[in-house]
Amino acid sequence: MSSPPTLNVYRHDTDNRALVTLTGEIDLNSAPLVHASLERCLRDGIRTIDVDVTAVTFCDCSGLNAFLYALMHTAAAGGSLQLHHPSPALERLVAITGSGSLFLNLPDAFAGSRPPPWPSPLHQAAHRLAPALPALPGGVL
C-alpha cells in the first residue's frame, strides 16, 4: 500500500517579504495546508508573498481556490501575492479561469480578445426556456 502524495511547504522571510516554496501535490486534502501557510504569512506581518510552485506536480481547483483566497486577503491587507514558475498545467488552470492577471506574471486566456457578449446567447436561451415564476411578497422567490 502506497502512502498518499504529500505537500511540503518551506518559507523564507526577509523583512516583510516571504518566499514560500511548495513541493508536491495540491488537492482537496493538501489545499488547507496551502491556505494556512499563506494566511500565517499575513498574521506574521508579511505583505509581499512570492510563491514558488516549480516543484508542484499537481494542482486542482482546490489549490487554485487557496491561492485566490490568499490573494484576496493579501490585497486587502495592502500586500501582493505572486506565483512563480508554474507548470504548464497550473499556468493553464490559472489562465482559463481568467485569474492569470491577478497573479501578475500569468496571462489571462482572454487577454487581447473581446469579452464574451452579455448576456450570452446560452444565457438568453436558458431564460427563454425557463417558466416565469411569480414573485412572493418581499421580493423572495
Side-chain angles (χ1 to χ4, degrees), residues 51 53 64 67 81-111:
V51 183
V53 291
L64 179 60
F67 291 135
L81 183 139
Q82 187 172 11
L83 299 180
H84 296 277
H85 313 292
S87 68
L90 178 54
E91 188 169 339
R92 180 168 159 66
L93 175 65
V94 172
I96 64 173
T97 60
S99 56
S101 64
L102 298 175
F103 294 108
L104 303 178
N105 66 344
L106 299 177
D108 277 336
F110 302 111

Side-chain angles (χ1 to χ4, degrees), residues 17-42:
R17 183 178 201 124
L19 172 62
V20 177
T21 303
L22 304 174
T23 63
E25 295 186 2
I26 306 172
D27 58 15
L28 186 60
N29 294 320
S30 60
L33 177 59
V34 173
H35 172 79
S37 300
L38 298 175
E39 281 292 310
R40 179 65 183 250
C41 290
L42 291 176

Side-chain angles (χ1 to χ4, degrees), residues 45-87:
I46 301 296
R47 292 300 174 257
T48 303
I49 304 171
D50 295 301
V51 183
D52 183 351
V53 291
T54 304
V56 170
T57 56
F58 175 81
C59 182
D60 65 9
C61 59
S62 302
L64 179 60
N65 189 44
F67 291 135
L68 290 169
Y69 186 85
L71 176 69
M72 288 184 345
H73 282 206
T74 304
S80 66
L81 183 139
Q82 187 172 11
L83 299 180
H84 296 277
H85 313 292
S87 68

